Amino acid sequence: MFSYLQMKKGIGLLLLSFSLFQNCYFNPIVNGILNPKVEEADTSALLGLAGGFGSQAVTVSITGQIKKLGTAFANTEVSLINPSFTSKNNANSSTTDSAGRFSLNVPTGSATLQFSDAGTPVNIQIEVSQTAAKILFIDNTNFTIQNLDVYVLGVEPPVYLELISSIPYDGLLIDDSNYSTITMGGFKFKFSEDLEYPSNQSVWLAENFITNPTIGFEFPSISKSDVTIVLSSSLSPLTPYTITLNSGIKTVAGKSIKQTTIQFLVGPLGL
């Protein structure tokens, strides 16, 4: 058992420890460390900054060519579908010309274009900025849009010689079912106007029909608005190809084609 003296000493130490704890805890500096003050953050500046990141839509003009299986889709009404409206009267619209070209005024951002193919709606989702437009999705694989461009509202876009149809066309799959017809008949291109006949056909062909990978061509046959190019080499199976048409393709009056890219794929061949 503890003696009275030991008990008194123990009580004294306990009181001293409690006193020291009180002095430390209620000391502003120590208390600040043990229990830091939680302050509410002032988010007004951040909210204002975040609000500044939002960009307001600007209306621009877009133009492009709609083609079905490589041929201009003419005399078709194309509408801009605004998701905030349900009435067709609120959608901007344009009728494609003989080259399948449309022109619309659209706000920057995401947009949906719609037209009808024999009563079936076709939807094209695009992303538009003040300087460019790109196609995100087309819900009918028979259709493509070529030469999609953006212009300042109210500015007339340049007038180009148009490619009306072609074989091969953008998105074409060449396989056993059509390989012989395409390669034996040659590549065919039809334009919106009669072409200037080049003084040197070989140079004209080499400069204005660029292929990747290289495709061997023999010579071009030019008849008014039609060009047929005979192949001198075969196409490789399981290979994607690109043909780029350049601005040296032009009319007598000097109207040139806008550089146009055609991508097609040669699939497996069992020939």
Side-chain angles (χ1 to χ4, degrees), residues 26-42:
F26 292 106
N27 183 296
I29 297 175
V30 177
N31 186 40
I33 297 174
L34 296 176
N35 293 280
K37 183 179 180 181
V38 179
E39 297 184 359
E40 293 185 5
D42 183 1

Side-chain angles (χ1 to χ4, degrees), residues 215-236:
I215 300 173
F217 292 142
E218 288 189 3
F219 57 87
S221 172
I222 304 171
S223 177
K224 295 184 177 181
S225 61
D226 296 296
V227 176
T228 300
I229 304 175
V230 177
L231 277 64
S232 62
S233 64
S234 59
L235 301 176
S236 300

Side-chain angles (χ1 to χ4, degrees), residues 76-93:
T76 299
E77 183 182 18
V78 182
S79 297
L80 170 66
I81 305 301
N82 190 329
S84 64
F85 295 123
T86 57
S87 171
K88 185 178 179 181
N89 294 330
N90 291 307
N92 195 357
S93 64

Side-chain angles (χ1 to χ4, degrees), residues 68 73 76-77 114-123 139-140 143:
K68 181 179 182 180
F73 203 59
T76 299
E77 183 182 18
Q114 186 180 87
F115 58 90
S116 176
D117 178 25
T120 301
V122 178
N123 295 288
D139 64 5
N140 187 321
F143 289 91

Side-chain angles (χ1 to χ4, degrees), residues 21-230:
F21 173 77
Q22 282 185 312
N23 289 337
C24 289
Y25 187 82
F26 292 106
N27 183 296
I29 297 175
V30 177
N31 186 40
I33 297 174
L34 296 176
N35 293 280
K37 183 179 180 181
V38 179
E39 297 184 359
E40 293 185 5
D42 183 1
T43 60
S44 59
L46 293 176
L47 291 174
L49 184 61
F53 288 145
S55 57
Q56 189 173 3
V58 176
T59 301
V60 295
S61 294
I62 64 169
T63 181
Q65 278 182 285
I66 298 178
K67 293 183 178 180
K68 181 179 182 180
L69 300 177
T71 299
F73 203 59
N75 301 317
T76 299
E77 183 182 18
V78 182
S79 297
L80 170 66
I81 305 301
N82 190 329
S84 64
F85 295 123
T86 57
S87 171
K88 185 178 179 181
N89 294 330
N90 291 307
N92 195 357
S93 64
S94 170
T95 300
T96 57
D97 62 15
S98 59
R101 183 166 293 281
F102 66 90
S103 297
L104 290 171
N105 297 334
V106 303
T108 53
S110 298
T112 299
L113 309 183
Q114 186 180 87
F115 58 90
S116 176
D117 178 25
T120 301
V122 178
N123 295 288
I124 302 173
Q125 294 180 1
I126 60 174
E127 185 73 25
V128 182
S129 72
Q130 294 186 53
T131 57
K134 64 179 180 179
I135 301 166
L136 302 178
F137 177 73
I138 303 177
D139 64 5
N140 187 321
T141 57
N142 289 334
F143 289 91
T144 57
I145 294 185
Q146 287 186 311
N147 298 325
L148 184 62
D149 291 314
V150 176
Y151 296 94
V152 175
L153 190 66
V155 174
E156 287 293 326
V159 178
Y160 293 103
L161 172 68
E162 304 275 26
L163 178 65
I164 300 296
S165 64
S166 66
I167 293 292
Y169 54 81
D170 199 42
L172 174 65
L173 172 64
I174 297 178
D175 55 20
D176 288 335
S177 67
N178 56 11
Y179 180 88
S180 297
T181 301
I182 292 173
T183 55
M184 293 179 65
F187 288 178
K188 300 180 184 297
F189 305 88
K190 184 174 185 60
F191 298 91
S192 56
E193 299 178 38
D194 293 352
L195 301 181
E196 176 186 57
Y197 199 86
S199 57
N200 188 318
Q201 292 188 32
S202 297
V203 172
W204 180 81
L205 178 62
E207 291 179 347
N208 294 291
F209 293 83
I210 312 299
T211 62
N212 184 31
T214 300
I215 300 173
F217 292 142
E218 288 189 3
F219 57 87
S221 172
I222 304 171
S223 177
K224 295 184 177 181
S225 61
D226 296 296
V227 176
T228 300
I229 304 175
V230 177

